[in-house]
Amino acid sequence: MAGHGSCFVIERFDRLSDGSAVHIEDFTQVFDVYAEQKYKTATLRNIAQVLAAETSDADIAEFIRRLVFCVLTGNGDMHMKNWSLIYPDRRNACSGYGSRGCRTLPPALAGRETQSPDDKASS
């Protein structure tokens, strides 16, 4: 790839080492609602209640860690289709989160001027 730019490679989280698929169920499936209702039907508290009933303390702690990350990065896209149960052994669930893009600037960064590396090099 020399001279062709950069690329980002990530290992699929929904495959086992033998290449077989890992079962994943998003929370619209868990709550049996249509995708159009992803913002209206369940709350993050409802998701936490399911995790408390179906997963381990470590999974709940991971959910909270990811939730805090989403809040701190201004991610307002934490709907039911972006939170999932992942069944790596096809039986026991653990929590997962799909979309981690920043949707709004956190208050600490709002109003700050930003410079790209190119801008810094020319100043």
Side-chain angles (χ1 to χ4, degrees), residues 68-78 101-107:
V68 168
F69 173 82
C70 289
V71 170
L72 292 176
T73 59
N75 186 345
D77 197 31
M78 296 178 284
C102 182
R103 304 290 186 243
T104 60
L105 282 176

Side-chain angles (χ1 to χ4, degrees), residues 6 14 40 77-78 87 90 92 101 107 114:
S6 300
D14 62 345
K40 300 175 185 171
D77 197 31
M78 296 178 284
Y87 302 88
R90 295 190 170 95
N92 297 309
T114 58

Side-chain angles (χ1 to χ4, degrees), residues 24-40:
I24 298 172
E25 183 177 35
D26 70 46
F27 273 89
T28 59
Q29 295 169 301
V30 172
F31 292 120
D32 195 28
V33 297
Y34 289 106
E36 303 85 55
Q37 298 296 313
K38 66 185 177 184
Y39 294 107
K40 300 175 185 171

